[in-house]
Amino acid sequence: TEDEGPILEVTVPPTRSDILHAVDIAEDIGIAFGYNNIERKVPQTCTVGGEQPLNQLSDLLREEIARAGYIEVLTHGLCSINDNFTALGKPITAAVSLSNPANIEYQVVRTTLLPGLLKTLQHNKSSSFTGGFKLFEISDVVLPDDKYVMTETIVGAKNARRACATYSGPTSGFEVCHDRNNRGCQKCSTSMRHLFWTH
């Protein structure tokens, strides 16, 4: 607009491979003009940054589970249909699938965190299990959902935060799992009867 002044069209030469975005050009202009020469103004808008409540809760749960001796893992968001459904004894249901997967291991976006933890156990069979091998992950899964509509096209999926943990050792470990769940419920100010097992 006329109020903003003239519009500059900038062409990036091939020798400037460090310029990836418009903000890189703004930074170069700021350096050339001199940061100390820029007039300070109070922003027209007032915003306060903060952590999303879901992320805050996830971080608190991560700390509590890690204090209980569990090791946090970060597994792939993509997996095979076999890992996500068949190997878990679950019927094959709707899932966000890739139209052209690179290989059979990356066919669908995970709907549960359990396959990733089981694969981590599989790849760590040489580790000592005498004291128990405890793993956990708190991350998002993607679930089919036809209710979310964006720009007149159905996205058809939504992210959902999940927590999953495994215990492997010489004993059944029921008391270990029960203690972890009980402690998590205490930190969330809820009771065990509100826990629903989805795996």
Side-chain angles (χ1 to χ4, degrees):
T1 63
E2 293 179 7
D3 297 337
E4 295 175 347
I7 296 174
L8 298 176
E9 186 174 327
V10 179
T11 303
V12 180
T15 55
R16 290 297 306 272
S17 59
D18 60 319
I19 295 182
L20 304 173
H21 194 270
V23 294
D24 296 322
I25 296 170
E27 180 185 23
D28 276 6
I29 293 170
I31 292 169
F33 184 74
Y35 287 125
N36 293 332
N37 298 326
I38 298 174
E39 182 184 344
R40 293 185 181 194
K41 292 182 181 178
V42 177
Q44 298 288 332
T45 57
C46 180
T47 60
V48 179
E51 194 174 15
Q52 292 288 332
L54 180 61
N55 291 338
Q56 192 173 16
L57 175 64
S58 299
D59 288 342
L60 290 172
L61 286 174
R62 281 187 183 101
E63 288 177 19
E64 284 302 316
I65 296 172
R67 283 188 188 121
Y70 284 77
I71 300 168
E72 184 176 14
V73 296
L74 182 63
T75 59
H76 293 292
L78 300 174
C79 60
S80 68
I81 293 173
N82 181 60
D83 290 342
N84 200 52
F85 298 108
T86 312
L88 299 178
K90 295 168 61 175
I92 297 174
T93 57
V96 177
S97 60
L98 278 65
S99 59
N100 188 17
N103 60 47
I104 198 167
E105 290 293 317
Y106 306 114
Q107 294 174 309
V108 295
V109 183
R110 65 184 176 187
T111 59
T112 174
L113 300 176
L114 193 54
L117 291 181
L118 293 176
K119 279 203 168 212
T120 304
L121 285 173
Q122 177 186 2
H123 292 295
N124 287 280
K125 288 188 288 190
S126 60
S127 299
S128 173
F129 283 69
T130 54
F133 199 64
K134 301 187 271 189
L135 302 173
F136 82 98
E137 181 175 13
I138 297 177
S139 192
D140 284 358
V141 297
V142 178
L143 304 173
D145 189 351
D146 295 332
K147 294 179 184 175
Y148 286 78
V149 178
M150 189 193 265
T151 62
E152 299 179 359
T153 60
I154 298 175
V155 174
K158 67 176 180 179
N159 283 19
R161 185 67 46 92
R162 295 287 188 263
C164 187
T166 60
Y167 170 80
S168 299
T171 63
S172 65
F174 175 76
E175 68 283 354
V176 176
C177 299
H178 187 274
D179 181 56
R180 179 203 64 233
N181 293 338
N182 194 31
R183 182 68 179 147
C185 289
Q186 285 177 346
K187 295 306 280 185
C188 294
S189 300
T190 186
S191 65
M192 288 287 279
R193 61 194 168 109
H194 291 116
L195 277 182
F196 294 95
W197 295 95
T198 58
H199 301 305

